Amino acid sequence: MEKIELIAPCHFGLEAVLKREIQKLGYEISLVEDGRVTFYGDYEAICRANIFLRSAERILLKVGSFKATSFEELFEKTKSIPWEKYLPEDGKFWVAKAASVKSKLFSPSDIQSIMKKAMVERLKMHYKRAWFEEKGASYPLRVFLMKDVVTIGIDTTGVSLHKRGYRQQAGAAPISETLAAALILLTPWHKDRILVDPFCGSGTFPIEAAMIAANIAPGMNREFLAEKWTNLIPKNAWYDAIDEANSQIDDDIEVDIQGYDVDPEVLKTARKNAQAAGVSHLIHFQQRPVKELRHQKKYGFIITNPPYGERLEEKETLPKIYSEFGNSFKNLDSWSAYMITSYEDTERYFGRQADKKRKIYNGMIKTNFYQFLGPKPPKQKDRR
């Protein structure tokens, strides 16, 4: 198959996680930038990347990159791209999003309209038509301008990849599925170690962990825009990717993944979400406050998204919550704790300085991923 370049946007600060995932799928990385990773593949890679990648937000088919400092230059260079190679005569195409950073061209609406006109002009010449009905499959464009360099990708995904299909309802301050998966992959947690989320909310961390443990591909139960791109991707490529994903599922594993919350209604939602994800048999949900967090096992992991106090009335309760969390953690001999939060006094009330801190953007909220590291378990002796 023809070699193409694909762009995978991700959360800022988690590019290394996505890079490892892409390499594990067998693809070569061409570029790592803030918030996205570009890699080489073929048209089958569009199917596999959408179905298998846990930390990517979407997959874009890269169709061009060039420098433009004027709208005239933007028009001509957009027009020079062989759009007929990607867009069928009845294809619906538009510039869905344009983002500009440190560039002379900064008006998203102008960029969008000029590029659309340039594409139409190119396709008029190729298809010998004066106008297009655009009643076929959708080919939305996403355009990034960085220091006057324009990068153009066609969105193969549609609804963002964080929409796995299992979360029908979410709690008050949910963490996205892609961010939760990326943070889990950032830790050394493995399915043979216990994992507890004491602020589990709608269950995203435990569910994503269970899917990782059972090797359930995150995109198996949803649709993608590019499924209708029969001019580029044969249908059997999607069936082959799904068959590959099904063949890798290990549903009979024994794991210890637990989710606690004080709100019984939220836990009902978490159980429904886990059932929809096909992992309810792998997770134990329980109503329990963080001050009662305890476990007899050693070398466990806490991975959680505690309250941030984004609302003023919540802020007053945060010192107590983080103090209780810290006190409980002190009694968990040999455990490690990882939490994502924007609360600035986290370490003060948790009662310990983090061993590592990583800046992560949760949507538009600037957060830190605090890592409180416990000892590594002793290596098991060879029992042969």
Side-chain angles (χ1 to χ4, degrees), residues 26-68:
Y27 301 117
E28 180 190 348
I29 305 295
S30 59
L31 186 64
V32 178
E33 302 169 276
D34 287 345
R36 62 183 189 263
V37 179
T38 305
F39 61 101
Y40 296 110
D42 52 23
Y43 282 103
E44 285 181 358
I46 291 174
C47 313
R48 295 183 72 235
N50 273 299
I51 289 167
F52 284 99
L53 292 178
R54 299 182 190 278
S55 58
E57 292 300 309
R58 61 184 65 248
I59 304 299
L60 309 175
L61 169 57
K62 184 178 176 181
V63 296
S65 185
F66 52 79
K67 189 168 184 178

mmCIF file of all heavy atoms in Angstrom, residues 26-68:
data_model
loop_
_atom_site.group_PDB
_atom_site.id
_atom_site.type_symbol
_atom_site.label_atom_id
_atom_site.label_comp_id
_atom_site.label_asym_id
_atom_site.label_seq_id
_atom_site.Cartn_x
_atom_site.Cartn_y
_atom_site.Cartn_z
ATOM 1 N N GLY A 26 3.915 -0.526 15.306
ATOM 2 C CA GLY A 26 4.830 -0.845 14.221
ATOM 3 C C GLY A 26 5.068 0.264 13.224
ATOM 4 O O GLY A 26 5.597 0.020 12.132
ATOM 5 N N TYR A 27 4.724 1.511 13.597
ATOM 6 C CA TYR A 27 4.869 2.624 12.660
ATOM 7 C C TYR A 27 6.047 3.520 13.038
ATOM 8 O O TYR A 27 6.404 3.648 14.204
ATOM 9 C CB TYR A 27 3.571 3.439 12.594
ATOM 10 C CG TYR A 27 2.397 2.606 12.151
ATOM 11 C CD1 TYR A 27 1.311 2.393 12.991
ATOM 12 C CD2 TYR A 27 2.397 2.004 10.885
ATOM 13 C CE1 TYR A 27 0.241 1.604 12.593
ATOM 14 C CE2 TYR A 27 1.327 1.214 10.479
ATOM 15 C CZ TYR A 27 0.256 1.018 11.334
ATOM 16 O OH TYR A 27 -0.789 0.223 10.932
ATOM 17 N N GLU A 28 6.613 4.152 12.024
ATOM 18 C CA GLU A 28 7.783 5.011 12.199
ATOM 19 C C GLU A 28 7.358 6.453 12.484
ATOM 20 O O GLU A 28 6.531 7.016 11.758
ATOM 21 C CB GLU A 28 8.637 4.961 10.915
ATOM 22 C CG GLU A 28 9.889 5.810 10.962
ATOM 23 C CD GLU A 28 10.569 5.920 9.607
ATOM 24 O OE1 GLU A 28 10.209 5.161 8.673
ATOM 25 O OE2 GLU A 28 11.451 6.794 9.467
ATOM 26 N N ILE A 29 7.919 7.036 13.514
ATOM 27 C CA ILE A 29 7.617 8.422 13.882
ATOM 28 C C ILE A 29 8.388 9.365 12.964
ATOM 29 O O ILE A 29 9.585 9.197 12.747
ATOM 30 C CB ILE A 29 8.013 8.701 15.344
ATOM 31 C CG1 ILE A 29 7.344 7.709 16.301
ATOM 32 C CG2 ILE A 29 7.691 10.149 15.731
ATOM 33 C CD1 ILE A 29 5.851 7.780 16.374
ATOM 34 N N SER A 30 7.701 10.377 12.429
ATOM 35 C CA SER A 30 8.395 11.371 11.606
ATOM 36 C C SER A 30 8.598 12.687 12.337
ATOM 37 O O SER A 30 9.544 13.427 12.054
ATOM 38 C CB SER A 30 7.619 11.619 10.298
ATOM 39 O OG SER A 30 6.315 12.074 10.556
ATOM 40 N N LEU A 31 7.728 12.999 13.316
ATOM 41 C CA LEU A 31 7.843 14.279 14.017
ATOM 42 C C LEU A 31 7.061 14.235 15.326
ATOM 43 O O LEU A 31 5.941 13.730 15.369
ATOM 44 C CB LEU A 31 7.298 15.406 13.128
ATOM 45 C CG LEU A 31 7.445 16.846 13.619
ATOM 46 C CD1 LEU A 31 8.907 17.254 13.722
ATOM 47 C CD2 LEU A 31 6.700 17.798 12.669
ATOM 48 N N VAL A 32 7.666 14.771 16.387
ATOM 49 C CA VAL A 32 6.971 14.944 17.670
ATOM 50 C C VAL A 32 6.964 16.426 17.998
ATOM 51 O O VAL A 32 8.015 17.059 18.065
ATOM 52 C CB VAL A 32 7.655 14.148 18.800
ATOM 53 C CG1 VAL A 32 6.936 14.387 20.127
ATOM 54 C CG2 VAL A 32 7.689 12.660 18.477
ATOM 55 N N GLU A 33 5.776 17.002 18.143
ATOM 56 C CA GLU A 33 5.620 18.429 18.474
ATOM 57 C C GLU A 33 4.729 18.548 19.698
ATOM 58 O O GLU A 33 4.142 17.561 20.147
ATOM 59 C CB GLU A 33 4.972 19.170 17.301
ATOM 60 C CG GLU A 33 5.718 19.076 15.988
ATOM 61 C CD GLU A 33 4.871 19.610 14.848
ATOM 62 O OE1 GLU A 33 4.045 18.850 14.305
ATOM 63 O OE2 GLU A 33 5.029 20.794 14.511
ATOM 64 N N ASP A 34 4.603 19.765 20.217
ATOM 65 C CA ASP A 34 3.695 19.987 21.338
ATOM 66 C C ASP A 34 2.275 19.625 20.926
ATOM 67 O O ASP A 34 1.703 20.242 20.023
ATOM 68 C CB ASP A 34 3.728 21.454 21.783
ATOM 69 C CG ASP A 34 5.001 21.801 22.524
ATOM 70 O OD1 ASP A 34 5.711 20.866 22.940
ATOM 71 O OD2 ASP A 34 5.285 23.004 22.681
ATOM 72 N N GLY A 35 1.707 18.628 21.579
ATOM 73 C CA GLY A 35 0.309 18.296 21.349
ATOM 74 C C GLY A 35 0.031 17.426 20.139
ATOM 75 O O GLY A 35 -1.138 17.164 19.854
ATOM 76 N N ARG A 36 1.072 16.924 19.451
ATOM 77 C CA ARG A 36 0.790 15.991 18.355
ATOM 78 C C ARG A 36 2.034 15.218 17.920
ATOM 79 O O ARG A 36 3.159 15.679 18.066
ATOM 80 C CB ARG A 36 0.146 16.687 17.161
ATOM 81 C CG ARG A 36 0.945 17.757 16.457
ATOM 82 C CD ARG A 36 0.062 18.355 15.348
ATOM 83 N NE ARG A 36 0.778 19.247 14.477
ATOM 84 C CZ ARG A 36 0.792 20.556 14.592
ATOM 85 N NH1 ARG A 36 0.150 21.116 15.585
ATOM 86 N NH2 ARG A 36 1.447 21.298 13.739
ATOM 87 N N VAL A 37 1.754 14.027 17.384
ATOM 88 C CA VAL A 37 2.805 13.138 16.888
ATOM 89 C C VAL A 37 2.457 12.763 15.452
ATOM 90 O O VAL A 37 1.326 12.365 15.160
ATOM 91 C CB VAL A 37 2.918 11.860 17.750
ATOM 92 C CG1 VAL A 37 4.007 10.933 17.204
ATOM 93 C CG2 VAL A 37 3.191 12.212 19.214
ATOM 94 N N THR A 38 3.425 12.914 14.543
ATOM 95 C CA THR A 38 3.232 12.568 13.138
ATOM 96 C C THR A 38 4.007 11.291 12.835
ATOM 97 O O THR A 38 5.128 11.112 13.320
ATOM 98 C CB THR A 38 3.715 13.716 12.227
ATOM 99 O OG1 THR A 38 3.042 14.928 12.618
ATOM 100 C CG2 THR A 38 3.393 13.441 10.758
ATOM 101 N N PHE A 39 3.398 10.405 12.043
ATOM 102 C CA PHE A 39 4.053 9.126 11.765
ATOM 103 C C PHE A 39 3.711 8.635 10.365
ATOM 104 O O PHE A 39 2.733 9.057 9.750
ATOM 105 C CB PHE A 39 3.671 8.074 12.819
ATOM 106 C CG PHE A 39 2.191 7.747 12.898
ATOM 107 C CD1 PHE A 39 1.675 6.591 12.312
ATOM 108 C CD2 PHE A 39 1.310 8.579 13.586
ATOM 109 C CE1 PHE A 39 0.327 6.278 12.408
ATOM 110 C CE2 PHE A 39 -0.046 8.280 13.679
ATOM 111 C CZ PHE A 39 -0.536 7.120 13.089
ATOM 112 N N TYR A 40 4.547 7.715 9.869
ATOM 113 C CA TYR A 40 4.344 7.124 8.550
ATOM 114 C C TYR A 40 3.529 5.842 8.671
ATOM 115 O O TYR A 40 3.673 5.087 9.631
ATOM 116 C CB TYR A 40 5.689 6.789 7.892
ATOM 117 C CG TYR A 40 6.555 7.988 7.591
ATOM 118 C CD1 TYR A 40 7.723 8.222 8.309
ATOM 119 C CD2 TYR A 40 6.207 8.893 6.580
ATOM 120 C CE1 TYR A 40 8.531 9.315 8.039
ATOM 121 C CE2 TYR A 40 7.009 9.994 6.308
ATOM 122 C CZ TYR A 40 8.170 10.201 7.041
ATOM 123 O OH TYR A 40 8.962 11.290 6.774
ATOM 124 N N GLY A 41 2.708 5.602 7.667
ATOM 125 C CA GLY A 41 1.940 4.364 7.630
ATOM 126 C C GLY A 41 1.416 4.137 6.235
ATOM 127 O O GLY A 41 1.931 4.690 5.255
ATOM 128 N N ASP A 42 0.362 3.336 6.125
ATOM 129 C CA ASP A 42 -0.355 3.175 4.865
ATOM 130 C C ASP A 42 -1.826 3.430 5.165
ATOM 131 O O ASP A 42 -2.180 3.830 6.280
ATOM 132 C CB ASP A 42 -0.116 1.770 4.277
ATOM 133 C CG ASP A 42 -0.405 0.668 5.299
ATOM 134 O OD1 ASP A 42 -1.181 0.923 6.249
ATOM 135 O OD2 ASP A 42 0.138 -0.435 5.155
ATOM 136 N N TYR A 43 -2.705 3.206 4.184
ATOM 137 C CA TYR A 43 -4.115 3.506 4.436
ATOM 138 C C TYR A 43 -4.726 2.569 5.478
ATOM 139 O O TYR A 43 -5.665 2.934 6.184
ATOM 140 C CB TYR A 43 -4.901 3.502 3.128
ATOM 141 C CG TYR A 43 -4.690 4.780 2.346
ATOM 142 C CD1 TYR A 43 -3.850 4.826 1.238
ATOM 143 C CD2 TYR A 43 -5.299 5.968 2.744
ATOM 144 C CE1 TYR A 43 -3.630 6.014 0.544
ATOM 145 C CE2 TYR A 43 -5.090 7.163 2.059
ATOM 146 C CZ TYR A 43 -4.253 7.174 0.963
ATOM 147 O OH TYR A 43 -4.043 8.359 0.292
ATOM 148 N N GLU A 44 -4.168 1.375 5.621
ATOM 149 C CA GLU A 44 -4.629 0.469 6.675
ATOM 150 C C GLU A 44 -4.285 1.030 8.062
ATOM 151 O O GLU A 44 -4.970 0.742 9.038
ATOM 152 C CB GLU A 44 -3.982 -0.911 6.505
ATOM 153 C CG GLU A 44 -4.580 -1.722 5.371
ATOM 154 C CD GLU A 44 -3.945 -3.093 5.243
ATOM 155 O OE1 GLU A 44 -3.007 -3.392 6.016
ATOM 156 O OE2 GLU A 44 -4.380 -3.864 4.371
ATOM 157 N N ALA A 45 -3.217 1.832 8.129
ATOM 158 C CA ALA A 45 -2.816 2.432 9.406
ATOM 159 C C ALA A 45 -3.899 3.371 9.944
ATOM 160 O O ALA A 45 -4.005 3.565 11.159
ATOM 161 C CB ALA A 45 -1.503 3.190 9.240
ATOM 162 N N ILE A 46 -4.694 3.952 9.056
ATOM 163 C CA ILE A 46 -5.813 4.804 9.497
ATOM 164 C C ILE A 46 -6.781 3.974 10.338
ATOM 165 O O ILE A 46 -7.242 4.404 11.401
ATOM 166 C CB ILE A 46 -6.535 5.429 8.285
ATOM 167 C CG1 ILE A 46 -5.620 6.456 7.603
ATOM 168 C CG2 ILE A 46 -7.859 6.067 8.705
ATOM 169 C CD1 ILE A 46 -6.180 7.031 6.308
ATOM 170 N N CYS A 47 -7.087 2.760 9.879
ATOM 171 C CA CYS A 47 -7.994 1.874 10.608
ATOM 172 C C CYS A 47 -7.378 1.460 11.943
ATOM 173 O O CYS A 47 -8.004 1.591 13.001
ATOM 174 C CB CYS A 47 -8.301 0.620 9.794
ATOM 175 S SG CYS A 47 -8.734 0.913 8.071
ATOM 176 N N ARG A 48 -6.133 0.988 11.900
ATOM 177 C CA ARG A 48 -5.495 0.463 13.102
ATOM 178 C C ARG A 48 -5.249 1.558 14.142
ATOM 179 O O ARG A 48 -5.445 1.345 15.346
ATOM 180 C CB ARG A 48 -4.182 -0.235 12.742
ATOM 181 C CG ARG A 48 -4.379 -1.476 11.874
ATOM 182 C CD ARG A 48 -3.080 -2.201 11.595
ATOM 183 N NE ARG A 48 -2.572 -2.878 12.767
ATOM 184 C CZ ARG A 48 -1.355 -2.710 13.275
ATOM 185 N NH1 ARG A 48 -0.517 -1.838 12.706
ATOM 186 N NH2 ARG A 48 -0.961 -3.380 14.354
ATOM 187 N N ALA A 49 -4.831 2.748 13.692
ATOM 188 C CA ALA A 49 -4.570 3.847 14.629
ATOM 189 C C ALA A 49 -5.854 4.282 15.337
ATOM 190 O O ALA A 49 -5.868 4.503 16.556
ATOM 191 C CB ALA A 49 -3.941 5.028 13.900
ATOM 192 N N ASN A 50 -6.946 4.405 14.597
ATOM 193 C CA ASN A 50 -8.217 4.801 15.199
ATOM 194 C C ASN A 50 -8.724 3.766 16.193
ATOM 195 O O ASN A 50 -9.285 4.106 17.234
ATOM 196 C CB ASN A 50 -9.279 5.022 14.111
ATOM 197 C CG ASN A 50 -9.267 6.429 13.544
ATOM 198 O OD1 ASN A 50 -9.474 7.391 14.278
ATOM 199 N ND2 ASN A 50 -9.012 6.552 12.264
ATOM 200 N N ILE A 51 -8.528 2.503 15.897
ATOM 201 C CA ILE A 51 -9.060 1.435 16.745
ATOM 202 C C ILE A 51 -8.172 1.156 17.953
ATOM 203 O O ILE A 51 -8.664 0.923 19.052
ATOM 204 C CB ILE A 51 -9.280 0.152 15.904
ATOM 205 C CG1 ILE A 51 -10.460 0.363 14.946
ATOM 206 C CG2 ILE A 51 -9.515 -1.076 16.782
ATOM 207 C CD1 ILE A 51 -10.593 -0.682 13.866
ATOM 208 N N PHE A 52 -6.842 1.221 17.794
ATOM 209 C CA PHE A 52 -5.929 0.763 18.840
ATOM 210 C C PHE A 52 -5.363 1.848 19.743
ATOM 211 O O PHE A 52 -5.035 1.571 20.901
ATOM 212 C CB PHE A 52 -4.755 0.003 18.215
ATOM 213 C CG PHE A 52 -5.101 -1.391 17.775
ATOM 214 C CD1 PHE A 52 -5.379 -1.653 16.445
ATOM 215 C CD2 PHE A 52 -5.152 -2.427 18.684
ATOM 216 C CE1 PHE A 52 -5.701 -2.939 16.027
ATOM 217 C CE2 PHE A 52 -5.468 -3.721 18.280
ATOM 218 C CZ PHE A 52 -5.744 -3.979 16.940
ATOM 219 N N LEU A 53 -5.179 3.086 19.250
ATOM 220 C CA LEU A 53 -4.482 4.094 20.056
ATOM 221 C C LEU A 53 -5.358 4.590 21.208
ATOM 222 O O LEU A 53 -6.489 5.028 21.001
ATOM 223 C CB LEU A 53 -4.032 5.262 19.184
ATOM 224 C CG LEU A 53 -2.930 4.941 18.168
ATOM 225 C CD1 LEU A 53 -2.596 6.165 17.331
ATOM 226 C CD2 LEU A 53 -1.663 4.415 18.866
ATOM 227 N N ARG A 54 -4.817 4.563 22.412
ATOM 228 C CA ARG A 54 -5.573 4.948 23.602
ATOM 229 C C ARG A 54 -5.417 6.426 23.953
ATOM 230 O O ARG A 54 -6.295 7.017 24.566
ATOM 231 C CB ARG A 54 -5.118 4.104 24.807
ATOM 232 C CG ARG A 54 -5.331 2.624 24.626
ATOM 233 C CD ARG A 54 -4.913 1.806 25.846
ATOM 234 N NE ARG A 54 -4.925 0.389 25.517
ATOM 235 C CZ ARG A 54 -6.017 -0.373 25.512
ATOM 236 N NH1 ARG A 54 -7.182 0.143 25.868
ATOM 237 N NH2 ARG A 54 -5.938 -1.649 25.186
ATOM 238 N N SER A 55 -4.266 7.028 23.612
ATOM 239 C CA SER A 55 -3.979 8.386 24.069
ATOM 240 C C SER A 55 -4.136 9.448 22.979
ATOM 241 O O SER A 55 -3.969 10.633 23.253
ATOM 242 C CB SER A 55 -2.568 8.456 24.668
ATOM 243 O OG SER A 55 -1.595 8.043 23.726
ATOM 244 N N ALA A 56 -4.440 9.049 21.742
ATOM 245 C CA ALA A 56 -4.639 10.018 20.654
ATOM 246 C C ALA A 56 -6.050 10.592 20.705
ATOM 247 O O ALA A 56 -6.995 9.906 21.090
ATOM 248 C CB ALA A 56 -4.396 9.349 19.303
ATOM 249 N N GLU A 57 -6.185 11.862 20.316
ATOM 250 C CA GLU A 57 -7.502 12.504 20.278
ATOM 251 C C GLU A 57 -8.226 12.259 18.958
ATOM 252 O O GLU A 57 -9.443 12.186 18.910
ATOM 253 C CB GLU A 57 -7.350 14.012 20.504
ATOM 254 C CG GLU A 57 -6.890 14.383 21.896
ATOM 255 C CD GLU A 57 -7.849 13.915 22.978
ATOM 256 O OE1 GLU A 57 -9.059 14.182 22.878
ATOM 257 O OE2 GLU A 57 -7.386 13.243 23.918
ATOM 258 N N ARG A 58 -7.474 12.144 17.884
ATOM 259 C CA ARG A 58 -8.023 11.837 16.568
ATOM 260 C C ARG A 58 -6.871 11.494 15.640
ATOM 261 O O ARG A 58 -5.702 11.684 15.997
ATOM 262 C CB ARG A 58 -8.881 12.980 16.004
ATOM 263 C CG ARG A 58 -8.165 14.301 15.793
ATOM 264 C CD ARG A 58 -9.128 15.385 15.327
ATOM 265 N NE ARG A 58 -10.127 15.704 16.338
ATOM 266 C CZ ARG A 58 -11.434 15.430 16.216
ATOM 267 N NH1 ARG A 58 -11.901 14.828 15.131
ATOM 268 N NH2 ARG A 58 -12.285 15.763 17.172
ATOM 269 N N ILE A 59 -7.180 11.013 14.442
ATOM 270 C CA ILE A 59 -6.153 10.681 13.457
ATOM 271 C C ILE A 59 -6.433 11.492 12.197
ATOM 272 O O ILE A 59 -7.535 11.444 11.635
ATOM 273 C CB ILE A 59 -6.153 9.172 13.110
ATOM 274 C CG1 ILE A 59 -5.992 8.324 14.375
ATOM 275 C CG2 ILE A 59 -5.055 8.848 12.093
ATOM 276 C CD1 ILE A 59 -4.710 8.563 15.144
ATOM 277 N N LEU A 60 -5.424 12.260 11.773
ATOM 278 C CA LEU A 60 -5.547 13.101 10.583
ATOM 279 C C LEU A 60 -4.654 12.567 9.472
ATOM 280 O O LEU A 60 -3.504 12.186 9.727
ATOM 281 C CB LEU A 60 -5.141 14.541 10.896
ATOM 282 C CG LEU A 60 -5.780 15.212 12.112
ATOM 283 C CD1 LEU A 60 -5.176 16.594 12.334
ATOM 284 C CD2 LEU A 60 -7.285 15.327 11.945
ATOM 285 N N LEU A 61 -5.192 12.548 8.270
ATOM 286 C CA LEU A 61 -4.401 12.194 7.094
ATOM 287 C C LEU A 61 -3.714 13.461 6.606
ATOM 288 O O LEU A 61 -4.364 14.405 6.141
ATOM 289 C CB LEU A 61 -5.311 11.618 6.005
ATOM 290 C CG LEU A 61 -4.718 11.429 4.608
ATOM 291 C CD1 LEU A 61 -3.486 10.539 4.634
ATOM 292 C CD2 LEU A 61 -5.773 10.866 3.651
ATOM 293 N N LYS A 62 -2.388 13.510 6.734
ATOM 294 C CA LYS A 62 -1.639 14.707 6.343
ATOM 295 C C LYS A 62 -1.579 14.798 4.819
ATOM 296 O O LYS A 62 -1.121 13.881 4.147
ATOM 297 C CB LYS A 62 -0.226 14.664 6.918
ATOM 298 C CG LYS A 62 0.589 15.922 6.644
ATOM 299 C CD LYS A 62 1.959 15.838 7.289
ATOM 300 C CE LYS A 62 2.826 17.037 6.937
ATOM 301 N NZ LYS A 62 4.166 16.948 7.546
ATOM 302 N N VAL A 63 -2.053 15.926 4.274
ATOM 303 C CA VAL A 63 -2.081 16.084 2.810
ATOM 304 C C VAL A 63 -1.130 17.169 2.321
ATOM 305 O O VAL A 63 -0.881 17.284 1.123
ATOM 306 C CB VAL A 63 -3.520 16.383 2.300
ATOM 307 C CG1 VAL A 63 -4.426 15.206 2.575
ATOM 308 C CG2 VAL A 63 -4.077 17.656 2.935
ATOM 309 N N GLY A 64 -0.584 17.963 3.238
ATOM 310 C CA GLY A 64 0.336 19.001 2.786
ATOM 311 C C GLY A 64 0.862 19.863 3.910
ATOM 312 O O GLY A 64 0.251 19.957 4.975
ATOM 313 N N SER A 65 2.026 20.482 3.653
ATOM 314 C CA SER A 65 2.619 21.427 4.592
ATOM 315 C C SER A 65 3.452 22.419 3.787
ATOM 316 O O SER A 65 4.231 22.024 2.922
ATOM 317 C CB SER A 65 3.485 20.682 5.612
ATOM 318 O OG SER A 65 3.971 21.569 6.595
ATOM 319 N N PHE A 66 3.258 23.694 4.049
ATOM 320 C CA PHE A 66 3.974 24.723 3.285
ATOM 321 C C PHE A 66 3.994 26.024 4.082
ATOM 322 O O PHE A 66 3.237 26.189 5.045
ATOM 323 C CB PHE A 66 3.312 24.958 1.919
ATOM 324 C CG PHE A 66 1.823 25.244 1.998
ATOM 325 C CD1 PHE A 66 1.344 26.501 2.346
ATOM 326 C CD2 PHE A 66 0.902 24.243 1.713
ATOM 327 C CE1 PHE A 66 -0.020 26.770 2.422
ATOM 328 C CE2 PHE A 66 -0.468 24.494 1.784
ATOM 329 C CZ PHE A 66 -0.929 25.750 2.134
ATOM 330 N N LYS A 67 4.856 26.954 3.658
ATOM 331 C CA LYS A 67 4.926 28.264 4.302
ATOM 332 C C LYS A 67 4.026 29.240 3.560
ATOM 333 O O LYS A 67 3.997 29.268 2.328
ATOM 334 C CB LYS A 67 6.368 28.776 4.305
ATOM 335 C CG LYS A 67 6.563 30.034 5.141
ATOM 336 C CD LYS A 67 8.028 30.356 5.361
ATOM 337 C CE LYS A 67 8.170 31.575 6.284
ATOM 338 N NZ LYS A 67 9.575 31.894 6.562
ATOM 339 N N ALA A 68 3.278 30.043 4.307
ATOM 340 C CA ALA A 68 2.417 31.062 3.697
ATOM 341 C C ALA A 68 2.344 32.277 4.610
ATOM 342 O O ALA A 68 2.016 32.160 5.786
ATOM 343 C CB ALA A 68 1.012 30.505 3.453
#
